[in-house]
Amino acid sequence: MKTVEQIAAELQAYDPQALSASAVNAFLAKLVAPVSDSESLPLFEALDRVLAQDVVSPVSVPPHDNSAMDGFAFDGAQLQAAQPVHLACVGTALAGKAWQGTVGPGQCVRIMTGAIMPAGLDTVLPQELAQVQGDQVVVRPGLLQAGDNRRQAGEDVLQGQPALRQGTRLSPAALGLAASLGIPTVKVWRKLKVAYFSTGDEILSLGDAPREGAVYDSNRYTVFGLLTRLGVEVLDFGVVGDDPTQLQATFEQAARQADAIITSGGVSVGEADHTKTMMKKLGDVAFWRIAMRPGRPMAVGRIGKATPQGGSAILFGLPGNPVAVMVTFLAFVRPALLQMMGAHSEPTPLLRARSQETLRKKPGRTEYQRGIVSTASDGSLQVRTTGNQGSGVLSSMVQGNGLIVLHHGQGTVNLGDEVDVMMFDGVI
């Protein structure tokens, strides 16, 4: 297990006082490690869990060549470029059982969607394109090519081949694929446990009486929602005041129970230093000033000591402003937690959209502006900001449907220029 100092030494141009967004993700990728315990779950309980081993198909899907639609099956070798083909219909093939007859030259069978293709037949004329005259079917020239409208055996999944790979996060489609193979249970990594608490004497819990200079804790609820969407087990430690004894007890309990700890507040320059002091005392922690907006201050490292009984957890100390908490979570914490869950480590996909306004920016930091993506009259994507981009304007995260990502080296964006957008759908 490498120390924070050792990881920092491996990164080029590491500067904790002006760290780029890409360097943050590179650092975290070296800091965190996947969980190692697994369990077997029935499919109904496995949604959003991460596969701990490949799912190898015991069968081919589909198991036989079959028809992709209702129509008439025949041997495609009979098709002619300029002449219609006349076929005599000699029976009907239904889904669920093989047709027992034989089909010779100049013949076809009526076939239903999903029915097994009779031997020697490889092409299906859709019912709506057929000219039927009694038991005669006419295939007009130019409609088909040999092999059209046939699903080949194993074209979805081949027997003995991995249908789902280790590290796959099980989506509804993945559950359906496993079920189509007749697999009732899957082996998944155990749920990641993530503890969270807010810090500061100025933070009120819901139900507390209002008082001058204090604010209600929104971060606890946004982080809870983000973690729940991610599929981890959330350990809520509430609000912890600026009391060293209480802070130490909470950190130590969280490190014993969780794989990762997320805090908000107490890591900015000029704030009461109880939280930062306790992080230093109990762990191996780096304090950063990230070249980004919003969300400049952040603390990362490990809290506690690794023992056979547990007691060590990865720390993510986030800023206190509500939007900054959400942005730093999406940009840095979420990818790191996915890696800890054992999921494939892949960059968050970004969409391209035309800016509907000028976005002023100087190179040298990454900016994440709340945006609203819509479809322009020509069908292309366009994006505009939600307006006020202050880090305390939480309503902008509700109004927006994505973050406009203005990269580290990027300058001012002119009206009509394309920008990258990190969409919220399925994430927050």
Side-chain angles (χ1 to χ4, degrees):
M1 181 184 296
K2 295 179 181 178
T3 66
V4 165
E5 184 178 354
Q6 289 171 331
I7 295 172
E10 295 177 355
L11 299 178
Q12 293 184 348
Y14 175 81
D15 181 359
Q17 296 304 305
L19 203 61
S20 68
S22 60
V24 171
N25 282 320
F27 185 103
L28 293 177
K30 293 177 177 290
L31 176 69
V32 305
V35 297
S36 57
D37 303 326
S38 61
E39 59 183 332
S40 292
L41 291 179
L43 292 184
F44 277 134
E45 298 176 21
L47 181 65
D48 286 336
R49 299 294 291 273
V50 179
L51 279 177
Q53 65 180 25
D54 291 350
V55 173
V56 177
S57 179
V59 297
S60 289
V61 180
H64 309 280
D65 286 9
N66 68 84
S67 177
M69 56 184 60
D70 294 346
F72 298 88
F74 63 100
D75 179 3
Q78 300 172 90
L79 289 170
Q80 300 180 32
Q83 298 295 324
V85 177
H86 295 264
L87 303 170
C89 186
V90 296
T92 300
L94 302 174
K97 58 182 179 180
W99 188 68
Q100 299 301 317
T102 59
V103 183
Q107 296 180 330
C108 67
V109 294
R110 179 181 289 275
I111 195 166
M112 302 298 117
T113 303
I116 297 173
M117 294 287 285
L121 309 188
D122 64 0
T123 307
V124 176
L125 172 68
Q127 182 170 305
E128 61 271 19
L129 298 181
Q131 290 183 344
V132 181
Q133 301 167 358
D135 64 352
Q136 293 291 309
V137 177
V138 179
V139 184
R140 297 192 303 275
L143 287 180
L144 299 173
Q145 293 182 351
D148 280 358
N149 306 315
R150 172 192 56 167
R151 301 187 187 116
Q152 292 183 302
E155 72 174 26
D156 188 1
V157 181
L158 280 173
Q159 183 179 6
Q161 296 297 309
L164 296 166
R165 293 287 188 179
Q166 177 182 326
T168 298
R169 196 166 169 220
L170 291 167
S171 64
L175 295 183
L177 179 57
S180 75
L181 308 177
I183 295 174
T185 62
V186 287
K187 189 174 184 180
V188 297
W189 297 119
R190 70 164 173 83
K191 268 197 173 186
L192 195 71
K193 297 180 180 180
V194 182
Y196 170 78
F197 58 92
S198 302
T199 65
D201 286 340
E202 78 282 8
I203 303 299
L204 298 173
S205 295
L206 296 183
D208 290 348
R211 66 175 187 272
E212 187 176 7
V215 294
Y216 284 107
D217 182 13
S218 64
N219 292 337
R220 183 177 170 193
Y221 297 89
T222 54
V223 172
F224 168 81
L226 290 163
L227 290 173
T228 301
R229 281 281 174 89
L230 194 56
V232 304
E233 181 179 339
V234 185
L235 308 179
D236 176 22
F237 284 76
V239 178
V240 181
D242 292 321
D243 175 80
T245 301
Q246 187 183 11
L247 278 168
Q248 179 168 345
T250 304
F251 271 122
E252 290 177 340
Q253 183 182 359
R256 287 192 299 270
Q257 296 182 13
D259 303 293
I261 302 169
I262 299 175
T263 66
S264 65
V267 294
S268 296
V269 174
E271 291 189 18
D273 63 359
H274 298 300
T275 302
K276 294 167 71 174
T277 300
M278 198 54 59
M279 289 176 177
K280 292 179 181 178
K281 176 182 177 181
L282 299 177
D284 178 21
V285 181
F287 296 91
W288 291 336
R289 291 169 66 85
I290 305 172
M292 67 180 294
R293 181 184 180 186
R296 192 172 187 185
M298 186 173 174
V300 299
R302 296 185 184 91
I303 290 290
K305 296 180 179 179
T307 68
Q309 294 75 35
S312 177
I314 299 295
L315 170 70
F316 303 97
L318 307 184
N321 285 320
V323 177
V325 166
M326 297 189 75
V327 169
T328 51
F329 183 97
L330 294 173
F332 310 127
V333 180
R334 187 175 186 273
L337 292 180
L338 282 169
Q339 185 176 336
M340 294 179 72
M341 292 165 63
H344 294 309
S345 181
E346 298 176 352
T348 302
L350 300 176
L351 296 182
R352 297 286 286 174
R354 293 200 315 269
S355 178
Q356 294 179 271
E357 58 194 286
T358 298
L359 305 175
R360 301 195 180 281
K361 178 187 177 293
K362 293 182 179 180
R365 71 180 180 191
T366 303
E367 293 190 10
Y368 301 86
Q369 300 198 13
R370 283 79 81 191
I372 302 172
V373 177
S374 60
T375 303
S377 58
D378 63 359
S380 64
L381 294 179
Q382 59 187 8
V383 64
R384 59 183 173 85
T385 69
T386 57
N388 189 340
Q389 295 294 303
S391 60
V393 185
L394 187 56
S395 61
S396 63
M397 293 296 285
V398 178
Q399 296 163 7
N401 57 8
L403 291 174
I404 302 170
V405 183
L406 304 179
H407 298 283
H408 189 84
Q410 194 169 357
T412 293
V413 174
N414 295 314
L415 174 68
D417 287 351
E418 283 195 332
V419 291
D420 285 331
V421 183
M422 180 192 302
M423 297 300 292
F424 290 159
D425 188 34
V427 178
I428 69 172

